[in-house]
Amino acid sequence: MQAAAQSLIDLATEGDTKKDGGGISPIVDPISPDWSVFGAVGNRAQIIVGVIMAGAILFLLGSAIVGAVHIRVGNRQHDQMETKKGQTLVASSLLGLFTIASMATLFTIVYGFGI
């Protein structure tokens, strides 16, 4: 297990990802957003948008975890209101996660309709 963790650390810290293709870029590149028509926004704006989206995703994941706790507590106490509250929280969190994950696609579609 320790060898696997060390090899993952070595992979992440290996070289500059832009120059030699090493490092963690083979893992991260497929999930990084394609800015396409919004590529002219600039690096700082892209980083700020990415940080805001990551923060929102972390918040929604936390909400889903809290919802799962509500479901578990409601089931243990045979409290249907608590269980329903948890189900609602989990469902709304997952819907928000889906919306944020598809935000770049939605913006591109809206921009395409505007042209």
Side-chain angles (χ1 to χ4, degrees):
M1 183 68 175
Q2 189 176 13
Q6 184 61 40
S7 64
L8 184 62
I9 291 171
D10 291 341
L11 175 69
T13 59
E14 169 185 295
D16 186 7
T17 60
K18 298 292 183 193
K19 292 180 184 172
D20 58 4
I24 201 164
S25 66
I27 298 170
V28 176
D29 284 344
I31 59 172
S32 63
D34 178 23
W35 291 91
S36 61
V37 295
F38 299 105
V41 171
N43 280 340
R44 285 191 179 170
Q46 289 178 0
I47 290 171
I48 290 171
V49 168
V51 167
I52 291 171
M53 288 174 71
I57 287 172
L58 288 175
F59 173 76
L60 289 170
L61 283 174
S63 295
I65 290 171
V66 168
V69 169
H70 281 287
I71 292 171
R72 189 154 180 104
V73 168
N75 283 338
R76 282 194 179 163
Q77 296 177 352
H78 302 290
D79 184 4
Q80 290 182 347
M81 292 298 290
E82 190 76 18
T83 304
K84 189 56 102 172
K85 179 180 176 183
Q87 289 173 348
T88 304
L89 200 55
V90 168
S92 62
S93 296
L94 293 178
L95 181 64
L97 283 171
F98 174 75
T99 304
I100 289 175
S102 61
M103 191 90 50
T105 304
L106 293 173
F107 285 155
T108 306
I109 292 170
V110 169
Y111 180 80
F113 282 141
I115 290 182

